[in-house]
Each structure stands twice: as structure tokens, then as C-alpha cells.
Amino acid sequence: MDPYTIHLNGNFPSVLDVHVNISGRSSTLGKNKGRKARWSVKPSDMSNKTFNPIRNIVDGMKVKPNPNKTMISLSIGDPTVFGNLPTDPEVTQAMKDALDSGKYNGYAPSIGYLSSREEVASYYHCPEAPLEAKDVILTSGCSQAIELCLAVLANPGQNILVPRPGFSLYRTLAESMGIEVKLYNLLPEKSWEIDLKQLESLVDEKTACIIVNNPSNPCGSVFSKSHLQKILAVAARQCVPILADEIYGDMVFSDPKFEPLATLSNNVPILSCGGLAKRWLVPGWRLGWILIHDRRDIFGNEIRDGLVKLSQRILGPCTIVQGALKSILRRTPQEFYHNTLSFLKSNADLCYGALAAIPGLRPVRPSGAMYLMVGIEMEHFPEFENDVEFTERLLAEQSVHCLPATCFEYPNFFRVVITVPEVMMLEACSRIQEFCEQHYHCAEGSQEECDK
């Protein structure tokens, strides 16, 4: 028999019917050495390590809103939800023009078009923190910018320092990569400034970076220049780079003024993350960026090259938005930015004033971003074990949905989103007041205060 004869069983071959005789020996395709002939498909370690505390807590809430009251959601950090904060017509027109041009339907370089990176560099350049196109990496939203920064700075087994309370995505991303998260404390009594001694005590030989989120989600706080300089001093002493999440940098409506962290230091290397989402009110357009500030060449070429390599995994952000970027950055009128900030300040003042007047609640006045945090004096609400139960019952009885701050590693607070229409904010505060009045109890030994 020919040693290369193929035998077919029946008239129509299938994969398992094909036998190849080579040098007088036969084998059956599909019987691969070392592979068990049964299905065993399991999720990866990375997927098993990926955990979003907000989704876990919110999805775990079993309560339903009060059917007799219209739902008011103060939980979603998306300024577009209620339609009261549309982006500027110039921004929309820029997208239409980019689409109509037909120039942006193909692949761009994975780090973004050179012309688009030049526009971002020009927009954020200043003498204290100069930028060129080579210092800009465009990403699919600010969240991907943060992911790339963590991936380039930290290996599995290393640790990063993360604010508490803080944006839950930091932990979600880090732990999925096998990076340990150490939490440093923000102090509500100091407008959420960092506990600098505690921060520095967490640094060890495995610390890869410090995440500084300013302005803050969930706190709505804005660090002063002097406080930022103290943070930089810690990083300089410990020789630890900073990942600056500054997506809300242009969303500051009260003192102190926002100071980009990189403008205050020339010796600490900083990866600053931002994007279109908040300032231009288009979070769904998914365009973010990393600004590389490395005046002393501490990162060298290695970190830059690493970011380029990592960006090649998904070949960059949407090209149509990149094509619109020049017009968005140059043509959006100042009035649009001003109106957005005026609205946020008005709503923040309204909400803070209303909640500060409610016994048992301790709101912390915000200066920026889209949020404020409200402390719950749990001793006055003994029927609730914690902030999760408090917010569950608020939803069930008043149809007002706020996120319990356990989502941000900070129990016995809740977060309020201040982008809802004013009439809705007033109604929500009224319902929160009614809820607190119904459940408030005088703590032991404080009857005199309650009688006042």
C-alpha cells in the first residue's frame, strides 16, 4: 500500500473518518497527545480576579423603588442621563464633519493620529509642564488610560497606593492584573485632604505608583496648591511615580483653583489621565489620553515604549472622534464651559444647604467634579446596620437612589450626583429629609439636644 494513502470510510469524509498512513503507521486526527477527550472550559484567572464593588453592591440590592413615587437616580456618574446637560453644538458639528469627510474610516496609529496628539499637547501645554505630541497617548476613554498606566508601571505582586474613599475602578483594574491595592485615607474634616503621614507609611520596596485623583470622585474635593506640593514631596522622598487621574480637572466651580499636578514639580515623573467625557459631556464617545510628564527623564524610553506596546493590543480609540478633536478643542465656546460650571455650582450649593439642615446627616461641601459625599450619623438611625441598608431603605421608601459609600471603601457615607435637573434635586432633597425625619432617633445621652 502507498504509505501516503488516505482511507475514507463511506462516501462522504468527515474529520474523524480521515486516516493518514505515513511509513506504515496510522493516526487519527483529533487524538492529540496530552489532551483529554472531554470539554473543560473555565474562566481565566484574570476574569476571576476582576471584581467591581459598585456592581456587586448595587446588583445585590433586593429592594424595589416605591411605586407611588417617581424614581430619582442620584447614583450614576453620567452627566447625559437626564438630557439637561447636552454637549455644545460645535462639538456635535465637529463629529458630523469628521464623519462626512470620509477621512477617518480606517485604522489610525495605536497611540492616535499625530495631528490629534499635537492638538491635545497644544491644549494642555504650559511653561511649567511643557508637552509635545510624543508625550500624548490617546486611549479609549480615561478608564483605559488608567488601565494602560497601571499595566506599564506595575507587575503582579507589586502594589499601588489608592485613595479611600476612591473610584472603585482602580481596585478593579489592579487586582485583575495581580497588583495589590493599599488604601490611603482622605480626611472629611479637612475637605478630603490626604492623610500624608499614613500615605507615606504605606510605601515599601514593592510600591509601583501613587494614584492621585484630583478633583475627586466620589468626594467632589479639589486639593490646594500647597497640599499638592506636599503630596509631591512624599513621592520625591520615596522615589515613587504618580498616576494623576485628572479627568475632572476642568470641572471646578469653587475655590481652590485646580492645579495640574505636573505644573508643580519637575522631578517627580507623572502620568496624567484625562479625556473628553466630563468637560465636554460626552462620556460615551470614549476618547481619553495619557500625558507623559517626565522632566528629569526618569521614565526614559522604556515607559514610553511600554505604553506604545500596550496600546497596540486594541489599536487605539475611535478614529472619528480623533478626527473631530481639533475642532472640539479649538471651537467649543467658553460660554459652554462657564454654563456647565455655573449649573454644577448652583446644584452643589442647593444640595449641600438642604442636606446640611437635616439632623443626622453631615454633607461635605464640594468644590468640583459632579458629586458630594454625605456622612450618616448612624447612631441616630439605629434600625439600619450600615450605609448600604440606609440607602436601600431610602430607595424602597422614597424612590431616591444614592450610592452607599461602601462602594468607595468608606462606610457610613453616601454619594450624591449633582448633575440632575434642579427641580429633581430639590425633590430628592425633600424626600431625603422626609426619610431622615421618619427614622431619626435621639442617641443615648443626647435627649437635651433633641428637645431643642
Side-chain angles (χ1 to χ4, degrees), residues 234-249:
V234 172
R237 278 196 300 272
Q238 300 296 335
C239 297
V240 178
I242 289 178
L243 193 173
D245 179 357
E246 298 181 329
I247 185 66
Y248 294 101

Side-chain angles (χ1 to χ4, degrees), residues 187-198:
L187 304 171
E189 68 275 14
K190 293 188 176 182
S191 299
W192 301 111
E193 286 190 345
I194 296 173
D195 183 337
L196 294 167
K197 285 187 178 179
Q198 188 251 348

Side-chain angles (χ1 to χ4, degrees), residues 14-180:
S14 71
V15 171
L16 294 180
D17 288 330
V18 179
H19 299 264
V20 183
N21 190 324
I22 302 176
S23 300
R25 290 176 295 179
S26 65
S27 62
T28 301
L29 297 181
K31 293 184 178 178
N32 297 325
K33 187 176 179 180
R35 181 82 181 187
K36 294 182 179 179
R38 67 171 183 267
W39 289 103
S40 179
V41 182
K42 295 182 179 179
S44 67
D45 289 345
M46 174 179 267
S47 67
N48 284 333
K49 290 176 182 175
T50 302
F51 174 79
N52 187 323
I54 294 181
R55 288 269 52 87
N56 184 62
I57 291 170
V58 172
D59 292 348
M61 287 184 170
K62 305 300 182 186
V63 301
K64 295 181 179 178
N66 184 337
N68 299 317
K69 296 195 175 189
T70 306
M71 175 74 169
I72 302 177
S73 180
L74 304 180
S75 61
I76 305 171
D78 181 346
T80 72
V81 168
F82 296 97
N84 59 310
L85 288 173
T87 192
D88 191 78
E90 287 283 359
V91 177
T92 307
Q93 189 60 48
M95 278 289 276
K96 292 177 181 177
D97 292 344
L99 184 61
D100 289 342
S101 75
K103 295 179 181 178
Y104 306 105
N105 296 332
Y107 289 119
S110 64
I111 58 174
Y113 289 118
L114 175 60
S115 59
S116 301
R117 291 185 287 120
E118 285 174 341
E119 289 298 327
V120 173
S122 174
Y123 192 82
Y124 288 102
H125 170 89
C126 60
E128 301 82 8
L131 284 169
E132 300 175 38
K134 68 181 178 65
D135 304 316
V136 178
I137 307 272
L138 298 185
T139 61
S140 182
C142 187
S143 56
Q144 199 215 2
I146 294 166
E147 180 185 37
L148 293 184
C149 291
L150 291 177
V152 81
L153 292 174
N155 283 310
Q158 288 188 286
N159 65 69
I160 61 170
L161 308 190
V162 171
R164 172 173 55 198
F167 186 34
S168 62
L169 187 70
Y170 306 140
R171 179 185 286 279
T172 299
L173 292 172
E175 292 187 344
S176 73
M177 301 180 206
I179 301 164
E180 181 190 357

